[in-house]
Amino acid sequence: MKIRQTPFAGPRRLLALAQLSNSVGDGAYYVTSALYFTHVVGLTPAHVGLGLTVAWAIGSVAGVPLGRLADRHGPRGTSVLLALTTSAAVASFLFVRAFLPFVLAACLYATAQSGLAAARQSLLAGLVPQSERTGLLARLQATLNAGLAVGAALGGVALHAGTTRAYLTVFAMDAASFLACALLLWRLPRVEPVPTGKDGRLMVLRDRPYVVVALLNTVLLLRMPLLSLGLPLWITERTTAPAWLVSALFVLNTAAVMLFQVRTARGVTGLGTAVRAVRRSGAVMFVTCAVFAVSAYGSSPWVAVTALLAGSVLLVVAEMLHSAGSWQLGFGLAPADRIGEYQGLFGTGVTVARTLGPLLLTALLVDWGTPGWAVLGGLILAASYAMGPAARRSARQRDAEDGAARCAGDVDGALVTGDHGVHDGEAEAGAARTA
């Protein structure tokens, strides 16, 4: 009798447990870090903002070379090393009490986090067939949200206590979560480095079609700060809805992703379906912005609450469609021997959105009001429709490069075997097909 393998059997289960481990720590960190750095470390809010902006700017640049390191030397060992480095960076926050040490620790944290994200994507690519990656990433995203919810609840306990010991406990737990993540990643099978020849340069920065795809994805990721910053400010500054609705909308988003992200990703199986998912995400996001804008009209809190709930449902639909499509594009358009390097660039969109997004959303939503929602929705809609031509151009270039590489391999084989006529003819035919 053949036993059917469960979706999270073997390496998949370990990847999910590693995701769950560090996401619990991250959830606690996200809800407590601002007050920890101001109340315990003793920094001003301006210094915290400046330090984190500098750190994430450096981290976004470091993601590409660290992803390349994973390709050349093996993603498992690189992932473990970066998880341990992240743990050490979080632990160092327990001891910093001045601005300069804080900035140094934050830079180490952001750099290790960015590199870890790229290295883990390279590790996943080496362990899971291409046809199964989007589905597994959807499950890992659901696991991530579950971990963040648990971590946020634990962080809430620390916030309620409000003591230095409670904050220190949260940061120690976050450091331990990345240590556990490293141990789980170490238990995964070893993935051999992909031979890349003598060329050690970073090629992704020269791959203009892929860079355009990554830039458009960054625009689409401007939705990320909405839930954590844009909507809280909009609700409290522009609507008559109660402030506690911010928490309810966060819970709604987290629960919906946990329940429906895997189902949403099932329909994304290739370039065409990925482009359609991204385009639909942009259209839904445009409607989402219009619904959120309606919440500011009228004096009844019930009208505002209804519009905000409806907009939040649409927001999570747009988020899940975009996530599924972008995962497929990020992996499918990258060369097999440079997954980590290319994911390092693709992943900088998250960092840029989290760094610059708050400034943009504050200006658009709080200062401009309803016109700001129109600008945001139009920008995301335009980027989603531009993704199709950009992705197809990138795919054509990748096919041409793969064809040229196969032709070069045929010619090299002919030189070794002496069968020049047959192989040269095949090479010419291949070159004609790719021209």
Side-chain angles (χ1 to χ4, degrees), residues 24-25 27-36 39-40 150-174:
V24 170
Y29 170 87
Y30 291 150
V31 300
T32 60
S33 58
L35 291 180
Y36 174 81
H39 292 179
V40 178
V150 173
L154 295 174
V157 174
L159 291 175
H160 179 71
T163 64
T164 299
R165 177 175 295 181
Y167 287 121
L168 293 175
T169 300
V170 165
F171 272 69
M173 182 188 70
D174 191 16

Side-chain angles (χ1 to χ4, degrees), residues 213-375:
V213 170
L215 288 174
L216 290 172
N217 189 61
T218 301
V219 175
L220 297 172
L221 285 169
L222 289 175
R223 60 168 174 77
M224 292 186 64
L226 266 180
L227 204 61
S228 60
L229 179 72
L231 281 177
L233 291 176
W234 175 259
I235 290 171
T236 55
E237 298 291 332
R238 291 277 187 165
T239 77
T240 56
W244 56 261
L245 189 64
V246 172
S247 176
L249 297 182
F250 181 84
V251 172
L252 171 65
N253 181 276
T254 303
V257 172
M258 289 169 54
L259 293 173
F260 301 112
Q261 180 67 80
V262 175
R263 184 179 301 177
T264 304
R266 285 175 185 163
V268 179
T269 56
L271 176 63
T273 51
V275 167
R276 283 194 292 274
V278 170
R279 191 163 55 235
R280 290 169 184 167
S281 169
V284 173
M285 195 64 207
F286 184 79
V287 177
T288 301
C289 291
V291 173
F292 279 141
V294 170
S295 65
Y297 290 91
S299 58
S300 172
W302 290 106
V303 173
V305 169
T306 301
L308 290 166
L309 287 173
S312 296
V313 171
L314 292 171
L315 175 62
V316 76
V317 171
E319 174 186 340
M320 292 187 293
L321 285 170
H322 169 240
S323 294
S326 65
W327 293 329
Q328 182 70 37
L329 294 174
F331 274 108
L333 298 175
D337 61 340
R338 293 177 180 266
I339 293 290
E341 177 185 339
Y342 273 61
Q343 284 295 310
L345 176 68
F346 204 75
T348 59
V350 175
T351 305
V352 172
R354 286 178 173 169
T355 304
L356 301 181
L359 298 175
L360 179 62
L361 292 184
T362 300
L364 288 178
L365 306 185
V366 178
D367 296 340
W368 289 18
T370 299
W373 282 112
V375 171

Side-chain angles (χ1 to χ4, degrees), residues 97 125 364 426:
R97 293 295 182 271
L364 288 178
E426 291 175 353

